[in-house]
Amino acid sequence: MSCLQRQPQLSRSQEILRYARSQKAIQTNLSGLICGICPLCSSFLLQGGDLLKVRSSSWKKTRYFRLQEDCKTMWHESKKLFKSNPTFSLDDISAVRLGRQSEGLRKSTEEQVEGRCFSIMFKGRRKNLDLIASSEEEARQWVKSLEKMMYNRNNLSLQQKTEHWIYTCLNKADKNKDDKMSQSEVKNFLRLINIEVDDVYTEMLFAKCDTSKSGYLSGAEIEHFYDLLTHREEIDVIYGEYAKTTGFMSPENLVDFLMKEQREKATLVDAHKIIEKYELDENAKGKKLLSKDGFLMYLHTPEALVYNSDHREVYQDMSHPLSHYFISSSHNTYLMEDQLKGPSSTEAYVRALLKGCRCVELDCWDGSDDEPVIYHGYTLTSKILFKDAIQAIKDHAFKTSDYPVILSLENHCSVEQQEVMARHMSSILGSALVTSPLCDGMPTNFPSPEELRGKFLIKGKRLNKLEATYVPEAAVADETDVSEEEESNDEDEDEQNKKKKKLKLAKELSNMVIYCKSVHFNGFEDARQNLSFYEMSSFKEGKAMKLAEESANAYVRHNVEKLSRIYPAGSRTDSSNYNPVPLWNAGCQIVALNFQTACQDMDLNQGRFLVNGKSGYILKPAFMREEGAEFDPITLTRGDWLKHKTLHVMVISAQQLPKVNKKKSSIVDPLVKVQVFGVPADVAEKETPAVENNGFNPTWNENLQFDVYVPELALVRFAVEDHDSTSDNEFVGQYTLPFNSLKMGYRHVPLLNKNGDILPSARLFVHVMVLDAE
Ligand SMILES: *[C@@H]1O[C@H](CO)[C@@H](O)[C@H](O)[C@H]1NC(C)=O
Ligand SMILES: *[C@@H]1O[C@H](CO)[C@@H](O)[C@H](O)[C@H]1NC(C)=O
Ligand SMILES: [Ca+2]
């Protein structure tokens, strides 16, 4: 990717100028050799072209699409009057898929346009954009160019992102496009980047930079202005402390910093590598020294962030039985929005699976033409074909993670359509579907995620015990009908039992249930005596919370050998969620959440499953895996799990927080909350005061301290909020990670938006220290 390469002979300030010039070049020179100038752009996209936009079989219209000069915003023509914003950002795209891959395209177009079709999928809840190009070649070029742009944007260093963002704002602020900044343009610019300053301060800042006294900033003056803005005093202090070699950091100084401050095992070889990789100033690099800019560059790299980068890969032992893992799980996966009248879509399965979800749910009902359908029974949610859902699952199951996917069936179908379900699963999933135990003979325990790589497991009702297939003459009679528990209503247990409908089960479908047979829960003692390891129960959140509180240890022991699935109360018709942490504390594996709903509970889920290669499987701590485990998250009697630590977080500063209120005049008043989730004794929340009117570079230097007793179950959430004295604070961004994946010392914390997607240039800067409390 030659256009991304930095030219190392340039100093950083030359780089910035080059960048500014390239931005200017884009402004004036839309076509041509742009890729040689700007690392981001694509002349194909900048030129744009006509595409046929598909909404339905009858609504297909030609629209002009092109990339705007900021190399980030796609513009498209819209015939809708008053449509204020016919644009979208490349940062909002989650994927671009060539072919008729979306539900919409499959429904609304003919097979022969397959190669000319592509879909743009968005993050969050935004609908896909389904498009048809005039030729296959053109479709491929759109997809290739978009993917390349997305890749390039993602692959930029934080510094490059910051520069790009600031120059985009500078361009925007330069209203009359004369390449100079007047004082009022500077003030506008500051608002654009989320700083509100009074006129006196603007004047002062302006005077400082306007060395030519022309009343405008231009050229080097803009560069100076940029440097003043992005100057970080805290970095000066930290760098100054360790740069003991004629004002620079030698490899020895860097090792000193890494060992003393960052608590890393670092050698001189590591230090040399860092300087070689991150020092941009050739002069310093030649002398094997690290400049302040190089130091900051390093602090922004993924390996220096607050999240232990060793945990990005699958680093846990994946050879334990399935019941020893927390499994990322989704409830009513087919729903895009609410539980009453919202749309259902195969896209919802794709999104959940791509987020690493390993247990999806399918509510199956009889459909017309002998094709079973999926929707939320007795509601107005729309329907999708069962076979389409299975196909979508097959296509996307193992893109984020190789580890097994559990298909949780809620079956309301007639025997005839159940046979159709079994046929579809068998023909679409093929050998990836587990239809018999992995071992010879009757298994006595679950296989491991490792053994089940690339496999699908069916969770559902079964006519008999699995043992019956081995001892046909055994006295385990086949039940002819089983009852399906309803999840849609929220009545208490008795009434629910009455409403349970008897259901005839098709043998073909029953036989596909091997390791996850659904049974009713009749207490821990009954389960221990009468249930086999593969017989598992589903618990409504309220019931599960009660067990997790009142019989926590019994629940932990139950979950050593057996699986438990928890689902949200039926009263959550808005698809809201519940806190999964108390249920993980009790060892429950499948804590199913409404993945489509952005909220703190989903942040916790994303944080829990952030580590271990985003495989969707997290090994439970050893004290929750042994038979007869003594661990009780509520009483916390003495045991291996008690490792009392104190967590010290100094919240130092933040950079480039986004505006939360779209109004131009509204500037963020940020405060930082640090929250600990885990066993009840560890749950805590502390916050800094708010900094008024500065979302660009606020500083706090605030110390927050926490006691953590069971580190292995604890999660830490950093949340930035916009302080509001008259109503609730507004969410700005957050990052959640396991306590044991925190790195010590001076660390940047990435920030995610409500939907869990990264905010491209925003981050927090903190100092983290964990000490033994004893
Ligand atoms: C991504 O960025 C890194 C570091 O800037 C660079 O070394 C690498 O070549 C880039 N990858 C591609 C494919 O451009
Ligand atoms: C186990 O099942 C038997 C037969 O259904 C029942 O009588 C017994 O009470 C059950 N055990 C427990 C502890 O519930
Ligand atoms: Ca101007």
Side-chain angles (χ1 to χ4, degrees), residues 18 47 103 125 151 156 168 173 320 383 416 500 505 532-533 660 709 721 738 766 771:
R18 190 176 69 93
Q47 246 158 16
E103 261 175 327
R125 288 186 179 186
Y151 179 82
L156 287 182
T168 306
H320 286 263
K383 297 173 185 174
E416 293 73 30
K500 259 191 231 167
L505 196 54
S532 301
F533 76 91
V660 284
Y709 294 92
E721 295 182 355
V766 298
L771 299 170

Side-chain angles (χ1 to χ4, degrees), residues 444-494:
T444 53
N445 204 349
F446 284 106
S448 67
E450 189 56 48
E451 291 168 292
L452 289 167
R453 258 174 196 267
K455 298 284 189 199
F456 294 96
L457 301 175
I458 307 286
K459 173 193 160 297
K461 299 283 172 188
R462 195 183 151 95
L463 288 169
N464 54 13
K465 284 217 166 206
L466 193 57
E467 286 84 344
T469 38
Y470 296 92
V471 240
E473 68 276 20
V476 237
D478 281 15
E479 304 161 52
T480 45
D481 41 37
V482 293
S483 52
E484 186 68 71
E485 275 156 78
E486 287 282 342
E487 291 184 3
S488 50
N489 52 46
D490 205 25
E491 290 104 39
D492 54 53
E493 204 71 7
D494 285 344

Side-chain angles (χ1 to χ4, degrees), residues 173-182 185 216:
D174 182 13
K175 282 253 155 58
N176 60 354
K177 305 291 175 215
D178 61 356
D179 219 8
K180 295 181 200 158
M181 300 281 289
S182 69
E185 282 174 334
Y216 291 95

Side-chain angles (χ1 to χ4, degrees), residues 365-428:
W365 300 79
D366 279 355
S368 49
D369 303 326
D370 285 334
E371 280 297 345
V373 292
I374 292 178
Y375 81 114
H376 200 30
Y378 311 119
T379 68
L380 299 174
T381 60
S382 65
K383 297 173 185 174
I384 53 178
L385 291 180
F386 178 78
K387 63 175 178 188
D388 288 349
I390 296 295
Q391 186 65 51
I393 291 168
K394 165 87 190 317
D395 292 343
H396 296 91
F398 304 113
K399 289 198 168 152
T400 301
S401 163
D402 292 341
Y403 293 98
V405 170
I406 301 171
L407 308 180
S408 180
L409 301 182
E410 198 184 304
N411 174 7
H412 305 274
C413 293
S414 62
V415 171
E416 293 73 30
Q417 296 214 2
Q418 289 177 34
E419 286 164 3
V420 179
M421 285 168 63
R423 268 206 309 280
H424 284 321
M425 289 198 285
S426 171
S427 67
I428 296 171

